[in-house]
Amino acid sequence: MEAIVVDSIEAFGREEWNRLFPDELEDWSYYRAVEKSGLPDFSWLYFGVRDAAGLLRAAAPAFVTDYRLDTTLSGGLKRFADWLTRHFPRLLRQKMLSLGSPVSEICHLGFAPGVPTDEQQRLLDAILAKAESFARGNRVRMIAVKDATAAQDALWAAAAKAHGLRRQPGLPTAFLDVKFSNIDEYLATLSKATRKDIRRKLKGAGGLRVEWRIGIDGIEGEVMRLYKSTHANAQFSFEELTSEYFHNVLRGMAGRASCATYWLGDKLVAFNLVLHDGKRLLDKFLGMDYAVAREYNLYFYTWIENVRRCIDLKLALYQSGQGLHALKRRLGSRLSANWLWYRHRNRIVDAIFALVERIARFDRHDPELAALLKDSAT
């Protein structure tokens, strides 16, 4: 076996990459679209393992960035981190190599069909060893894994721990099983209070209209205005998207990517980029005008529209991604845990991180997340 690292997904054939990720919406075409989008502050890597015959046995995308250690902090810790950043600008920034992607739903770790569990462990070990080698050779201080899924938790727990990585909870992914034939049937699955609340909110959204598009030509300026407004209001912000990202995804994934646009008269007040196939709809990015969002209950209006879209296209699953997980659970979603693995290559600094994480863990301040992690551990 030979572990490799390359800086473009085009080093892999489309079919050989996708063979490791069957039925995945965020496939070779998606990562190529991301790669060509000029996202600031990120460089892209792709790790793979080939056998003696040159066949790809395992692969994972990755990225390198100057990571702000206070990205996921909130409250008093965030205010203290802001003070540190003002007085010591470089202290909370560390060059980091992470498996996964800042714009994917999970860390995609794929294996060739039929690879047994024991070989998966060896292949992942080879990828992590290659990542450590890259970090040493490129003065990368932190090694991480972003959003390792619960489905591969046992695999990560064995391999990542062997390489000295510790884990802490990430934000869970929300899924809604679409088992209804119309919106009324969907609402009937919710609690009486939630059902009443949604109907009231939808009545207050009179005058809104939705238009599904396959591109944003002619409205990209308004789309970016709404995206930047949402990005500025986000509780946690990591990546900053470009207009090229939206264009590239819609063009590069033609037939599998759409954009719902929401209008008040001739004014664009929200948009929603989604991916879809014959099985599910994946909500990627929502942008909205916060000056009208509350009055017209834009979030709930877009949620119901996505559920309706799933019904119309006979899609069995609505994947609404991360964030607002307590609300999404109230709207009928089930949650799946994700994990962050990391370590600093300096042992002293890493020991300090281990102490701080006990205070800063998401689940210490989020009862919903704490309950989910407790359930997933049993």
Side-chain angles (χ1 to χ4, degrees):
M1 293 191 306
E2 180 188 9
I4 60 172
V5 56
V6 297
D7 62 4
S8 175
I9 200 167
E10 292 180 349
F12 300 98
R14 183 194 307 264
E15 296 304 320
E16 74 166 349
W17 178 275
N18 288 347
R19 181 170 172 265
L20 274 58
F21 302 95
D23 301 320
E24 179 54 63
L25 274 168
E26 294 176 326
D27 61 359
W28 186 95
S29 295
Y30 177 75
Y31 280 110
R32 185 178 183 276
V34 171
E35 184 182 311
K36 303 296 184 182
S37 296
L39 270 61
D41 303 323
F42 293 94
S43 57
W44 311 112
L45 296 173
Y46 307 87
F47 288 88
V49 182
R50 295 190 182 278
D51 64 17
L55 296 177
L56 189 63
R57 301 289 287 172
F63 61 95
V64 176
T65 190
D66 229 15
Y67 182 63
R68 278 195 60 164
L69 300 178
D70 61 339
T71 297
T72 58
L73 298 182
S74 59
L77 285 175
K78 178 64 173 176
R79 290 189 292 273
F80 176 65
D82 288 342
W83 181 88
L84 283 177
T85 300
R86 287 194 300 272
H87 292 82
F88 308 98
R90 287 297 307 175
L91 182 62
L92 294 183
R93 284 192 175 272
Q94 301 284 315
K95 190 176 182 181
M96 179 181 74
L97 162 64
S98 178
L99 297 183
S101 170
V103 287
S104 68
E105 299 302 305
I106 60 171
C107 177
H108 289 112
L109 172 65
F111 300 97
V115 172
T117 301
D118 59 343
E119 186 181 350
Q120 289 182 14
Q121 292 282 1
R122 292 193 296 271
L123 292 168
L124 178 53
D125 179 75
I127 287 175
L128 290 172
K130 191 68 175 179
E132 290 178 346
S133 175
F134 181 93
R136 286 194 301 271
N138 292 273
R139 297 182 178 180
V140 173
R141 296 180 178 182
M142 290 185 65
I143 299 175
V145 180
K146 179 182 176 293
D147 295 326
T149 68
Q152 292 181 315
D153 190 46
L155 180 63
W156 282 109
K161 285 182 179 178
H163 288 264
L165 278 71
R166 293 182 308 280
R167 77 173 187 175
Q168 62 173 313
L171 294 174
T173 301
F175 299 91
L176 177 68
D177 297 304
V178 183
K179 300 177 180 179
F180 12 83
S181 58
N182 55 58
I183 293 298
D184 285 337
E185 287 186 11
Y186 161 60
L187 294 176
T189 67
L190 308 179
S191 70
K192 181 178 180 180
T194 300
R195 186 164 60 247
K196 182 179 179 181
D197 185 44
I198 291 178
R199 291 191 188 280
R200 178 182 58 80
K201 285 179 165 57
L202 293 180
K203 282 184 179 180
L208 280 174
R209 63 182 175 87
V210 61
E211 176 186 330
W212 284 89
R213 301 169 60 108
I214 59 173
I216 59 170
D217 294 340
I219 61 169
E220 67 174 41
E222 286 300 289
V223 164
M224 290 308 296
R225 177 183 66 83
L226 297 174
Y227 166 71
K228 289 178 180 179
S229 173
T230 304
H231 184 267
N233 281 276
Q235 181 181 7
F236 305 117
S237 57
F238 188 23
E239 79 294 331
E240 183 174 351
L241 301 180
T242 61
S243 60
E244 288 84 0
Y245 170 85
F246 295 102
H247 280 299
N248 290 348
V249 170
L250 288 164
R251 292 168 182 166
M253 302 186 69
R256 296 187 297 140
S258 303
C259 187
T261 56
Y262 297 86
W263 303 81
L264 271 177
D266 294 329
K267 182 180 180 181
L268 184 67
V269 295
F271 78 92
N272 195 182
L273 176 69
V274 303
L275 308 181
H276 46 81
D277 54 17
K279 300 177 182 179
R280 63 174 166 151
L281 184 143
L282 170 56
D283 186 342
K284 285 302 300 176
F285 289 101
L286 172 67
M288 64 177 68
D289 186 337
Y290 279 77
V292 299
R294 184 178 297 274
E295 179 182 356
Y296 286 88
N297 299 296
L298 287 179
Y299 182 80
F300 290 91
Y301 193 92
T302 62
W303 178 277
I304 292 297
E305 178 60 27
N306 283 343
V307 174
R308 182 181 289 110
R309 189 71 167 176
C310 288
I311 293 170
D312 291 345
L313 297 179
K314 294 180 169 52
L315 307 179
L317 191 66
Y318 172 30
Q319 181 177 342
S320 57
Q322 299 180 357
L324 300 176
H325 45 272
L327 173 59
K328 291 173 180 178
R329 195 163 191 173
R330 186 162 68 90
L331 293 173
S333 300
R334 53 186 170 85
L335 303 179
S336 179
N338 295 309
W339 296 93
L340 308 174
W341 293 88
Y342 77 98
R343 73 173 172 88
H344 197 284
R345 294 182 57 244
N346 181 295
R347 291 186 178 182
I348 296 176
V349 176
D350 194 50
I352 295 172
F353 284 1
L355 291 174
V356 172
E357 79 171 48
R358 297 178 185 177
I359 304 173
R361 285 171 61 102
F362 281 141
D363 54 333
R364 280 184 59 90
H365 311 284
D366 188 331
E368 187 93 10
L369 180 56
L372 171 67
L373 299 177
K374 182 178 180 180
D375 290 344
S376 65
T378 57

